[in-house]
Amino acid sequence: SPDCSFTCHYRCRALVRLDCSGPPDAGDEDDGTEQALEKDTNVDEPSEWEKAELDQAQVEQRIKEYNSQINSNLFMSLNKDGSYTGFIKVQLKLVRPVSVPATKRVPSLQAGRPGPRAQGVKRRTSFYLPKGTVKHLHILSHTRASEVIDALLRKFTVVDNPRKFALFERSEKDEQVYLRKLADEEQPLRLRLLAGPSEKVLSFVLKENETGEVNWDAFTLPELHNFLRILQREEEEHVRRLRHRYARCRQKMQEAL
């Protein structure tokens, strides 16, 4: 696509449906602003409030308070065995393409929109998830972060190894954005209950799990050439944003003079 720079195989073009709103505009600057503010705290241990232990009465009280503060029907419910169920919202912020299995059609990402009726893809197909893709999951209090990742991949029929992805908690404080990677055994719904419904206090993000250097020798020549084109476009976009930022700063200085 000449507008959104979406890239896919020629034979897969008819199978992909994306809402392309046209060339990048001022809305892209928000992403750059957040990237500038975003800080990976890289903290192995949860904060003190996240480590708090609640007894049955405290859990019941927290659930009542949580349900009284939300403006939707995504309530939490206490079970007889002491566990509880509820919803979490996960934003998918993936910068690399994901893969769907052979003979599977590319899943529709728009609610109420039927998937493409073209023939199934005969080979493994890769595509980019649109920016801002969000998924609500109904989970149990003892559902682990690794199980949330598995469920998200199943929802989008992604066949990539789940270890390639990680679930992060995101919080905003003092105009600073903090990210912390959740350990596999952490329980997202428990964190949601402790934090309350505010997305600024706590939200969940699925991102790539950066575990080390990429083994580029494992890719084919067409894939490597495609990665180079993507890198070039990313570099050009970063340069555009930097020039825009410095031009704006220079203009403010000249106005002050």
Side-chain angles (χ1 to χ4, degrees):
S1 168
D3 293 330
C4 61
S5 301
F6 172 78
T7 305
C8 72
H9 298 118
Y10 177 79
R11 64 177 180 276
C12 303
R13 185 172 59 180
L15 303 177
V16 179
R17 288 189 177 183
L18 293 177
D19 290 331
C20 181
S21 57
D25 53 22
D28 289 340
E29 297 302 326
D30 294 337
D31 295 336
T33 303
E34 176 162 319
Q35 289 175 4
L37 292 175
E38 193 171 275
K39 175 184 178 183
D40 187 352
T41 58
N42 201 23
V43 177
D44 294 328
E45 291 293 329
S47 59
E48 289 301 320
W49 67 268
E50 292 171 330
K51 293 188 290 186
E53 294 295 334
L54 303 178
D55 58 30
Q56 184 74 6
Q58 289 173 321
V59 168
E60 186 174 1
Q61 181 61 30
R62 290 264 189 167
I63 290 176
K64 289 180 180 179
E65 293 175 358
Y66 182 93
N67 290 341
S68 68
Q69 295 172 16
I70 62 175
N71 298 320
S72 65
N73 59 349
L74 303 180
F75 300 110
M76 289 196 189
S77 302
L78 184 64
N79 302 321
K80 292 182 179 179
D81 61 0
S83 65
Y84 49 95
T85 59
F87 294 86
I88 61 169
K89 183 175 73 172
V90 182
Q91 183 180 13
L92 284 72
K93 297 183 68 174
L94 304 177
V95 298
R96 292 192 285 269
V98 295
S99 300
V100 296
T103 71
K104 288 284 187 181
R105 294 180 298 183
V106 177
S108 174
L109 300 177
Q110 301 295 330
R113 188 186 225 176
R117 297 181 179 178
Q119 294 180 351
V121 180
K122 295 181 180 180
R123 299 181 182 181
R124 180 167 167 164
T125 305
S126 297
F127 68 99
Y128 286 91
L129 286 172
K131 288 183 179 180
T133 298
V134 172
K135 190 68 180 178
H136 284 87
L137 293 177
H138 188 248
I139 62 175
L140 292 162
S141 54
H142 53 75
T143 301
R144 296 178 293 123
S146 59
E147 295 172 322
V148 169
I149 295 174
D150 291 338
L152 285 169
L153 298 184
R154 285 196 302 270
K155 289 284 186 181
F156 293 102
T157 65
V158 174
V159 297
D160 294 291
N161 191 324
R163 303 303 300 177
K164 291 183 178 180
F165 308 92
L167 191 65
F168 289 79
E169 65 171 23
R170 179 186 183 277
S171 59
E172 298 180 26
K173 185 178 180 182
D174 300 328
E175 298 184 354
Q176 177 73 59
V177 176
Y178 295 90
L179 286 176
R180 183 180 71 87
K181 184 167 71 173
L182 298 184
D184 288 345
E185 67 276 4
E186 289 193 65
Q187 300 164 336
L189 189 62
R190 179 179 177 276
L191 297 177
R192 179 78 280 164
L193 179 63
L194 289 171
S198 172
E199 290 290 317
K200 286 191 174 183
V201 175
L202 174 71
S203 61
F204 295 108
V205 182
L206 184 73
K207 302 180 70 174
E208 281 87 4
N209 187 16
E210 302 296 349
T211 57
E213 292 295 325
V214 177
N215 181 18
W216 296 110
D217 294 333
F219 294 94
T220 64
L221 285 176
E223 288 175 326
L224 290 172
H225 284 303
N226 200 38
F227 288 152
L228 287 174
R229 285 194 292 269
I230 293 173
L231 284 175
Q232 181 179 353
R233 288 172 180 171
E234 289 180 351
E235 181 182 6
E236 291 172 352
E237 178 62 18
H238 280 299
V239 170
R240 185 189 70 82
R241 289 181 177 176
L242 280 172
R243 287 177 174 169
H244 176 76
R245 187 183 306 169
Y246 279 99
R248 188 167 52 186
C249 183
R250 189 179 295 109
Q251 180 183 358
K252 294 293 183 182
M253 290 181 180
Q254 289 173 346
E255 290 175 356
L257 290 171

